[in-house]
Amino acid sequence: MTSEEVEKLIGAALKKTFQLDPAPTWLVKDMRRLLSPFISLLFSKSLTTGCFPQEFKEAVVRPLLKKTGLDASELKNYRPVSNLSFLSKLLEKIVQVRIQAFFDSNGLMLNMQSAYRRFHSTEIAVTKVVNDLLLAADSGQMSALSARPILLTAAFDTVDHELLISRLERQFGLRGVVLEWFRSYLSGRTFHVVFSGSTSSIIYIVCSVPQGSVLGLLLFIVYTADLAVISHDVSLHAFADDTQLYLHCRRIDTASAAARLEQCITECRPLDVCQPPQAQR
């Protein structure tokens, strides 16, 4: 990477400051021309050695009410908001641009996933499914569509790191120092919760993609790529962790088609493959 690329990314970044940042973001933005050569040197060292800096793996989580007016004494009314350092997200952005270009140029991204990708949206997902249903109807077929999409339970929080690394290597062709960088990026991450002036003990994260990160959303798509391989001749289209299943059949085969769809839904179990992180200190 070049210092010019880093300077441009700093200039385009928001002015949010992380609690543990050594300098406020506005100051880094104002001094970006002076700082960008040193930051680019740090980032290049990270990429060439396959090591994500440990200081970038710390997060501060602040619970916020989902809606104004909700009962503040009920924990279920809060959602956790994770804050990461400015430089860590800048490094993630640089990696995201490069890895996305690699996936796109090699045709590795799945067409049946419409989330967290450029030129893909909820409108694309709806249009794809409706178009498939209309084409089936035009050919004289009936369609069976699951009334409720498959929703993976706590999907982002239960991503198994070793399984994700295996996916990156075997299905997406990452090797050597690149794969080691992602292994370093996922391992050794921590967070603590700040609420009402109090700070929790440090939590060591043993699974999940980092909340509030740049790469987390892309890595989730990689992790769930195997859902595309579905038996029973069933089609699917997904948006993030919501997956819609459907199939087409002749009118006389509706009963067997519905049974196939039900069996497929039964076999698509949530990816809850690891335990929630435990407090270590």
Side-chain angles (χ1 to χ4, degrees):
M1 73 192 70
T2 65
S3 59
E4 289 78 13
E5 179 185 6
V6 173
E7 182 180 344
K8 183 178 179 181
L9 286 174
I10 295 175
L14 299 176
K15 292 185 178 182
K16 294 182 179 179
T17 298
F18 175 59
Q19 178 176 321
L20 301 181
D21 276 336
T25 301
W26 65 263
L27 181 59
V28 177
K29 290 173 69 70
D30 287 349
M31 303 296 292
R32 59 184 180 273
R33 180 166 297 181
L34 177 64
L35 296 174
S36 58
F38 302 98
I39 296 174
S40 63
L41 181 63
L42 171 65
F43 289 175
S44 294
K45 191 68 173 178
S46 170
L47 298 181
T48 55
T49 59
C51 178
F52 190 77
Q54 185 62 42
E55 291 77 9
F56 290 177
K57 300 179 184 181
E58 302 176 24
V60 175
V61 175
R62 298 180 182 275
L64 297 179
L65 281 174
K66 296 178 182 178
K67 295 180 181 178
T68 56
L70 292 177
D71 186 0
S73 64
E74 289 287 341
L75 294 180
K76 65 181 180 180
N77 292 334
Y78 290 88
R79 60 182 179 90
V81 176
S82 178
N83 296 306
L84 297 169
S85 71
F86 176 76
L87 288 184
S88 71
K89 299 183 76 170
L90 199 66
L91 177 54
E92 286 189 62
K93 180 61 179 177
I94 288 172
V95 173
Q96 190 269 338
V97 170
R98 284 158 173 73
I99 210 70
Q100 186 69 64
F102 171 75
F103 288 167
D104 292 341
S105 63
N106 289 279
L108 298 174
M109 297 305 295
L110 302 175
N111 292 327
M112 63 283 298
Q113 174 62 258
S114 291
Y116 318 129
R117 300 169 59 191
R118 190 181 183 190
F119 303 130
H120 289 72
S121 62
T122 52
E123 289 83 1
I124 295 295
V126 172
T127 301
K128 174 63 169 61
V129 174
V130 172
N131 184 67
D132 287 349
L133 299 179
L134 292 176
L135 288 176
D138 287 344
S139 63
Q141 291 184 305
M142 309 231 2
S143 297
L145 178 76
S146 59
R148 296 177 61 186
I150 295 176
L151 179 62
L152 303 179
T153 305
F156 290 87
D157 297 330
T158 56
V159 171
D160 182 272
H161 291 166
E162 288 303 317
L163 185 55
L164 174 55
I165 291 296
S166 177
R167 296 243 200 282
L168 288 170
E169 181 180 13
R170 298 182 181 183
Q171 296 173 246
F172 292 84
L174 302 190
R175 300 287 190 274
V177 69
V178 177
L179 191 65
E180 287 305 311
W181 188 92
F182 278 99
R183 189 185 300 275
S184 175
Y185 170 80
L186 292 168
S187 64
R189 304 192 76 98
T190 64
F191 73 88
H192 63 269
V193 180
V194 176
F195 183 69
S196 296
S198 300
T199 301
S200 75
S201 58
I202 295 177
I203 308 297
Y204 289 82
I205 302 173
V206 298
C207 58
S208 81
V209 291
Q211 187 188 37
S213 65
V214 175
L215 286 170
L217 303 179
L218 179 61
L219 291 176
F220 177 78
I221 294 177
V222 170
Y223 185 70
T224 56
D226 273 0
L227 281 178
V229 185
I230 285 188
S231 57
H232 307 289
D233 193 28
V234 173
S235 301
L236 70 87
H237 201 90
F239 188 89
D241 56 347
D242 292 341
T243 302
Q244 191 73 67
L245 302 180
Y246 56 98
L247 54 79
H248 315 298
C249 64
R250 298 178 300 171
R251 186 180 297 271
I252 60 174
D253 297 328
T254 53
S256 62
R260 292 205 324 270
L261 186 60
E262 290 176 357
Q263 181 63 27
C264 184
I265 293 173
T266 301
E267 294 179 3
C268 289
R269 294 187 298 272
L271 299 176
D272 294 342
V273 293
C274 66
Q275 297 299 319
Q278 301 295 323
Q280 301 295 322
R281 183 166 80 248

